[in-house]
Each structure stands twice: as C-alpha cells, then as structure tokens.
Amino acid sequence: QVRLVESGGDSVRIGGSLTLSCEVYGDSISGSYIYMAWFRQAIGKEREGVAAIKGGVFTRYADSVNGRFTISTNNAKNTLYLQMNSLKPEDTATYYCARATQKDYIQTLRMLLESEYDAWGQGTQVTVSS
C-alpha cells in the first residue's frame, strides 16, 4: 500500500520561498511512466492542480505558478519536492502530493486533474502573509 507523507509547510512572508517534500513509502517513484503531482486547496475553494511530473523529467504547471514553482524528484530518497519562490497571499492553502498508481499514461492536458491520481498525502499547510 502506497503512503505519501508531506512536510515543509510553514508561514512565510510575501515574496518568500519554501520547499515542500513528499516522501513515498511502499512504492518506488523511479521509472519513465511514474506520474506524481502537487495539488492545493484553499479554504472555501476546490482542490486545484499546481504542478505535475512524469518520469522525473516531464513537468507541467498551472498558469498561476508557472515560473515561480518547480517540481522535482529525488529517486534515491523516493521523495517528491515542490520549490516555491516569490510566494503570494493567494498561494495560501493546504498542499497535497499525489501519485497515480494505476496509470502508466496520462494525457498532458490531464496531468493536473485530481481524478487522474489515486494515492494522496495528508496535506501540509502553507500560509503567505505580510
């Protein structure tokens, strides 16, 4: 059974940086057809896809974070990361990592859809304020 554990959430100032980690247990994240992603959910809003990565190489980002956030993996540590720079108040949310355990192909346009992923972490809170 796959288990995902996020960490790194914190309260930061506007313009600050933060790196989130997601350790994966019970499954390897190395492989050309491994899909993983970061989602976030702000209070009163639906969960939205932030960044996704395939095979540790091909990435896709939501327009709202493109150029500010970077998704990456470390296969040796079996860990997914999200480097967040130039943080804004609208980035405030609970961040979740996700793994598609049953699929070895997801269309590029669907990589940020919640329905494509079936294993989820418990979330880590990021708060951006002045």
Side-chain angles (χ1 to χ4, degrees), residues 106-121:
I106 300 174
Q107 293 180 0
T108 300
L109 290 177
R110 297 185 64 82
M111 284 178 65
L112 294 177
L113 294 183
E114 185 176 356
S115 59
E116 298 295 329
Y117 300 86
D118 58 299
W120 295 83

Side-chain angles (χ1 to χ4, degrees), residues 29-68:
I29 67 169
S30 63
S32 300
Y33 302 100
I34 301 296
Y35 289 86
M36 297 201 67
W38 286 97
F39 289 77
R40 68 185 181 187
Q41 187 169 22
I43 295 175
K45 295 188 177 181
E46 294 186 353
R47 195 179 306 192
E48 62 173 353
V50 174
I53 188 167
K54 172 196 172 185
V57 177
F58 182 76
T59 58
R60 184 154 191 266
Y61 296 92
D63 290 343
S64 58
V65 306
N66 198 22
R68 299 189 298 122

